Amino acid sequence: MSKYLLNKFLYTVDRDPELVERYRDEPGELVAWWEDERANTVLNCVTGESSTWLRFTDDERAALISHDHVKLFELGAHPFLTLTLFIAMFERDNTEPLQYQKAFGARLAHFDMPYPDIAT
């Protein structure tokens, strides 16, 4: 399990409007592409610098593909990164102000202290 990799995915996808739309519309394809093409890229480094060992676990991959922010939090993904990306993808489907954000929080309400560890 790599909380770093989950957070890197959420961070990099959220910063590219095209990737946000691809993740919303075709999550399985986008996750597979990102894992193959971007997971091992070293951020903020010259092109060509990369690692070779980073892969999602089956649970991480499934949670990303199903847009399951509760499972992602359970796995250690940072909730702010998840929230900002998911707002970009799903807020437009709601009609009331903050409707998506409230539903997002309500789905996490069953967690008690201590929360899952999100340190990377």
Side-chain angles (χ1 to χ4, degrees):
M1 179 171 83
S2 172
K3 291 182 271 186
Y4 168 78
L5 192 60
L6 281 176
N7 289 329
K8 181 178 176 182
F9 175 87
L10 298 167
Y11 177 85
T12 58
V13 171
D14 191 32
R15 274 136 192 84
D16 185 326
E18 181 183 319
L19 294 182
V20 170
E21 293 307 312
R22 284 178 61 193
Y23 185 41
R24 175 184 161 98
D25 297 337
E26 300 172 342
E29 288 184 20
L30 186 275
V31 170
W33 171 83
W34 190 92
E35 191 171 15
D36 289 340
E37 300 293 326
R38 298 277 176 94
N40 288 297
T41 301
V42 179
L43 295 179
N44 302 317
C45 199
V46 296
T47 304
E49 290 291 330
S50 64
S51 62
T52 58
W53 62 274
L54 295 173
R55 305 290 298 168
F56 293 124
T57 65
D58 291 341
D59 285 345
E60 291 167 339
R61 194 176 298 106
L64 288 168
I65 290 170
S66 64
H67 298 142
D68 187 347
H69 74 271
V70 176
K71 184 66 175 178
L72 290 169
F73 182 56
E74 196 176 286
L75 292 169
H78 197 286
F80 179 77
L81 295 174
T82 308
L83 177 61
T84 58
L85 174 56
F86 282 39
I87 287 171
M89 292 192 302
F90 302 121
E91 184 175 43
R92 67 187 96 163
D93 299 333
N94 296 277
T95 57
E96 298 294 321
L98 298 175
Q99 183 178 357
Y100 181 75
Q101 292 87 332
K102 290 176 183 177
F104 184 100
R107 288 189 60 211
L108 296 171
H110 67 281
F111 285 99
D112 290 324
M113 297 288 273
Y115 295 132
D117 182 12
I118 60 171
T120 55

